[in-house]
Amino acid sequence: MYRRSAVVLVVAVLALAGCSSYFDSQDDDQSSQELLHAEAENSADQQAAESEASGGWLCISDPTYNDDWHDDYVCSNGTSIDRPYLIPDDPFVESEELAAAAAAYEDSLNR
């Protein structure tokens, strides 16, 4: 009887130890993914700051909430700010069109 209780106790301890290490590895995976995501965000912020610091122009979305999407981007080189009126001949612009126009405008400013 004592031997059977000891075996059950050992099996229970090993089972619990295996479960806790499984959950610990899940937490480690989630922490690793969160860390990678945070590093990617920091890298993007750093690239934007370096672009502005180097004197290059950067255009970002900055909605005006005036029911006119044409002016929802702002461009800056770190010292100057420009809010272009993009695609003026199109009465209705979509966000993808506007993003492409802003990228083209940014390229023209950086030439």
Side-chain angles (χ1 to χ4, degrees):
M1 179 84 166
Y2 173 75
R3 187 172 258 198
R4 185 179 291 177
S5 297
V7 169
V8 169
L9 179 63
V10 168
V11 169
V13 168
L14 291 175
L16 289 175
C19 289
S20 67
S21 65
Y22 171 77
F23 287 115
D24 288 343
S25 69
Q26 292 295 321
D27 290 341
D28 290 344
D29 290 344
Q30 186 176 7
S31 297
S32 297
Q33 290 173 353
E34 290 173 357
L35 182 61
L36 289 174
H37 182 68
E39 287 177 359
E41 286 179 353
N42 289 341
S43 176
D45 292 343
Q46 184 179 8
Q47 287 175 351
E50 288 173 359
S51 175
E52 287 186 9
S54 67
W57 286 87
L58 178 66
C59 296
I60 59 170
S61 176
D62 182 37
T64 56
Y65 303 105
N66 63 358
D67 295 326
D68 186 2
W69 285 17
H70 294 86
D71 63 350
D72 281 354
Y73 272 79
V74 67
C75 302
S76 174
N77 66 354
T79 56
S80 300
I81 296 175
D82 183 22
R83 183 176 289 276
Y85 195 81
L86 302 168
I87 319 173
D89 297 332
D90 190 349
F92 178 79
V93 293
E94 294 182 355
S95 60
E96 294 84 16
E97 292 177 292
L98 201 56
Y105 187 75
E106 179 182 309
D107 287 342
S108 72
L109 290 173
N110 284 319
R111 290 187 187 168

